[in-house]
Structure formats: C-alpha cells, structure tokens
Amino acid sequence: MAEQAAQPLRILVFSHRPEVRESIINAVGRRPATDLAKVRYVEASGVADVLTEMDSGEIDLAILDGEAQPTGGIGLTRQLKNEIDDCPPIVVAVRRKDDRWLATWSQADAVLVHPLDPLTAAETVADVLRSRRVPVVRG
C-alpha cells in the first residue's frame, strides 16, 4: 500500500486554451491533500489527445474545460462516461454557476466554477479521488 501512495496520480487537464489548463493546474496544485500521492499532470489541447489518454487506462482523474472549443468538456464528459468501461472520474470546470446543471447532465463526478478557488479546487479533486480508491496496477 505504501508503494501505491508514493506513485504519482495522473490527472488529465483538457482545454484548447493553455492559460485555462495552467489555471486549473495551479488551483489544484501538486498535492491536493496530504493523504493523497503527488500529482503528475497530463495536458491535452484537443479531443483526440483526451480520447487517447483516457483509453490508456493510466489516468486517475480528468478535469475538462466546459468552455473548450470546438468540443466542450461537458459533451466530451458525457461521451467518455458512456463509451469507456470503468471511466476514470471526471471534473468539469464551467464559467457560470448556472451551467452546473449541464455538468450534472454530462455525468461529471464534480463541478468547479471559474474563477477557481485553490482551496475548493483541491478539496473537490481530493474528494473525487478518495471516492474512487480503486487499486491501480500499472505495468
């Protein structure tokens, strides 16, 4: 068990805008909670990259920008949840609080609202990761 805790968690961050990916990474931080392993971020700027990473089986959690163009993270979340068996948890970042219902429709595990509060972002991601607590075996 100690070996698993030391292995970095892989979090996929998707947005077509590098500054949005950076704001998400900065808000969540390198260790969202002391009881979780450190995080290694995998950045994706396009849907093809997201699909490749999610299909790899090596992503522990994904954070998708609901405002990404041309394909937004909300629709992409619904697609991933419906197409990938044992889909990793997904957090959707939206611009407006009123868009939370769309994120719920997408089957997202949690929602963050911009501007991102670092305490809320880290706590939300940590809670989702804790609820997942499935042993991950990587070759």
Side-chain angles (χ1 to χ4, degrees):
M1 187 75 170
E3 287 179 24
Q4 279 185 348
Q7 186 174 22
L9 295 164
R10 289 175 45 103
I11 295 181
L12 174 68
V13 178
F14 164 67
S15 178
H16 73 289
R17 296 174 48 203
E19 63 273 15
V20 172
R21 294 193 306 268
E22 182 180 0
S23 74
I24 291 169
I25 290 168
N26 288 336
V28 175
R30 293 291 171 195
R31 191 171 207 159
T34 56
D35 63 318
L36 296 172
K38 289 184 179 178
V39 171
R40 185 171 143 239
Y41 289 98
V42 177
E43 294 186 51
S45 60
V47 172
D49 296 332
V50 172
L51 297 175
T52 299
E53 290 295 336
M54 293 295 276
D55 283 339
S56 75
E58 295 183 1
I59 298 299
D60 295 299
L61 178 134
I63 303 173
L64 308 182
D65 176 12
E67 310 296 321
Q69 297 294 324
T71 302
I74 293 172
L76 186 54
T77 296
R78 188 162 177 95
Q79 176 184 344
L80 293 166
K81 289 290 189 173
N82 288 312
E83 292 181 2
I84 296 177
D85 292 333
D86 197 29
C87 184
I90 300 174
V91 176
V92 175
V94 296
R95 295 261 173 243
R96 302 176 324 132
K97 286 182 183 180
D98 291 347
D99 289 339
R100 285 178 171 272
W101 75 270
L102 282 170
T104 302
W105 166 85
S106 75
Q107 303 171 26
D109 295 273
V111 180
L112 295 173
V113 179
H114 290 280
L116 300 177
D117 171 60
L119 292 175
T120 303
E123 184 177 293
T124 300
V125 167
D127 287 347
V128 172
L129 285 167
R130 283 187 200 107
S131 70
R132 180 70 173 184
R133 289 285 170 145
V134 175
V136 176
V137 179
R138 296 195 184 114

